[in-house]
Amino acid sequence: MKLKKAALFISCLFFPLLAKAGTDAVNLPSTKSANLKSKSAIGISLTSNLVDTGLTLENGDVWVWGFRNTGLQGNGICHASSGFSRPARVEFFADRDLNVTQLAAGLYHIIALDEKGNVWGWGQNGYHEASGNGNAAGYQCWPFLALKKKNVVMISAGEYSSYALTKSGDVYTWGHGVYGQMGNGKRKAVNDVYKIPRQYFNNRPVVSIGGGYESGYAINDAGEVFGWGDDESNAFGFYNPAAHVYRTTPKKITNLPPDVNGKKIVHITGGDRFTAFLTSSGDVYGMGAGNYLGLNMGPQIKVTTPMLIIRNIKMLSCRYVGCVAIDKKNGLWTWGATEGSAFRQLYGRTPTKRNYYGNLTKIDIGKEYIIYWNDKGKAYGVGYGSGHKFSQRTNENVNWPGKELKFVVDAMKGVYGNKHIPGQGQ
């Protein structure tokens, strides 16, 4: 049995975020008041586009539950019985005594960064989004070494695409590229691993990356910001008469707010039709589809100039049609689209403060769901319940403050022992 300590992992796709007490945000009713005592470290361990599958990083291990067809369990079985099976650790890494330090995921593929700086991928692989290699199978059912000996420090993922940043400042992409997501100058569906030439970043090393739903972002060491992929709804800050503009190579984003450049941006990411970024002062800005930005706008509005969404944020994560944020007092806020399968449970038209149980220690975020962990070692799910992510009996959607996922915690204790407290980053 592998028992080890692991640092509190923070995904490459996080942002800090907060709303002031004086906003128009409305708290949802709760059956239990949240205890918001200050806690110094909260990790957004995962920001993914997974729909039906639960995923988290625990004790340096990868844990999966819910829907696990397409090889998502990483155990060599490509078409498993779905969510009724118990949550399970990806034993591939445990057997090799490899710590995983970051996770990212598309709709049906997962990539993992190990402690040696190598990137592994598994799951659906029709666009080579998992393997980055044309010799791999359509379903990659064991973790496949996509990037070896590149000293990767950050990973991210889009819908069917994968991104990696090396310590030396190079950006690698692989997977689906019909909308320009690969940054390789082409609109090609299937793509193996590709290193974006540094000339596209003004011959400077890149220090940070982010992933949108069908787009990628990078910031170089000079503080210049770049985006590529589907520039839909003016998501990159350029006025586009057409509904879609496909940026097949990185394009510099030039209309940042006054006194803000890439050196002041803690992280940049986006979703479907919008871009968002967090500054070192705790401000969150967004541009693109107005109804996704938490600005109480309708779907017909396209925001070209970045607008301030919220202040005093320490962590922010955005994907698909909305954002999740944690303020400096550990308040949890969400905003985005309010129509769709589970969006009314997840989001608000403006930043909305949510009630939750206990003191937050970790958050895992999927395409339409949130799983949060507290200092008592309990996990709770909110949002889209498909795939039996929140219950092994039903697929029901769950409203705030969430449904306890005791079956996930019990599975972890079965591996690490009853004294183990899950969700603490150690």
Side-chain angles (χ1 to χ4, degrees), residues 28-34 355-357 380 399-403:
L28 290 180
S30 169
T31 58
K32 180 177 179 181
S33 298
N355 291 321
Y356 59 81
Y357 297 120
Y380 297 86
N399 209 336
W400 296 94
K403 178 181 179 65

Side-chain angles (χ1 to χ4, degrees), residues 341-359:
S341 55
F343 302 148
R344 290 183 181 177
Q345 285 95 334
L346 283 179
Y347 303 124
R349 289 177 62 89
T350 60
T352 304
K353 192 173 185 181
R354 304 301 185 178
N355 291 321
Y356 59 81
Y357 297 120
N359 295 309

Side-chain angles (χ1 to χ4, degrees), residues 43-96:
I44 295 181
S45 107
L46 169 72
T47 297
S48 81
N49 298 287
L50 290 169
V51 180
D52 307 310
T53 306
L55 179 68
T56 195
L57 191 59
E58 177 70 22
N59 201 43
D61 294 323
V62 182
W63 282 81
V64 187
W65 65 95
F67 177 84
R68 278 169 280 186
N69 277 334
T70 76
L72 283 168
Q73 184 59 61
N75 63 355
I77 300 174
C78 294
H79 300 290
S81 60
S82 194
F84 300 103
S85 301
R86 284 172 56 84
R89 180 172 66 171
V90 178
E91 297 296 338
F92 179 93
F93 299 107
D95 290 344
R96 289 158 178 79

Side-chain angles (χ1 to χ4, degrees), residues 250-267:
K251 183 175 179 62
K252 185 176 178 180
I253 295 174
T254 56
N255 66 336
L256 297 175
D259 301 322
V260 174
N261 61 30
K263 291 184 177 181
K264 294 183 178 180
I265 293 176
V266 174
H267 200 73

Side-chain angles (χ1 to χ4, degrees), residues 334-397:
T334 69
W335 66 90
T338 54
E339 296 182 3
S341 55
F343 302 148
R344 290 183 181 177
Q345 285 95 334
L346 283 179
Y347 303 124
R349 289 177 62 89
T350 60
T352 304
K353 192 173 185 181
R354 304 301 185 178
N355 291 321
Y356 59 81
Y357 297 120
N359 295 309
L360 288 179
T361 56
K362 185 175 74 170
I363 299 180
D364 300 303
I365 299 170
K367 180 180 177 181
E368 300 176 18
Y369 70 86
I370 296 167
I371 294 170
Y372 69 86
W373 305 73
N374 67 24
D375 58 350
K376 301 297 184 182
K378 295 183 178 182
Y380 297 86
V382 180
Y384 190 46
S386 176
H388 299 274
K389 294 186 301 294
F390 304 153
S391 170
Q392 294 187 287
R393 296 182 179 180
T394 74
N395 285 311
E396 292 179 354
N397 295 348

Side-chain angles (χ1 to χ4, degrees), residues 318-340:
C318 300
R319 76 274 184 254
Y320 196 44
V321 297
C323 297
V324 180
I326 301 169
D327 67 33
K328 294 178 180 179
K329 294 183 178 180
N330 290 353
L332 194 157
W333 303 76
T334 69
W335 66 90
T338 54
E339 296 182 3

Side-chain angles (χ1 to χ4, degrees), residues 16 22 40 57 74 97 141 156 168 196 200 247 266 280 321 337 350-351 385 425:
S40 60
L57 191 59
D97 199 29
C141 304
S156 185
S168 62
I196 299 179
Y200 290 114
R247 313 283 185 187
V266 174
S280 55
V321 297
T350 60

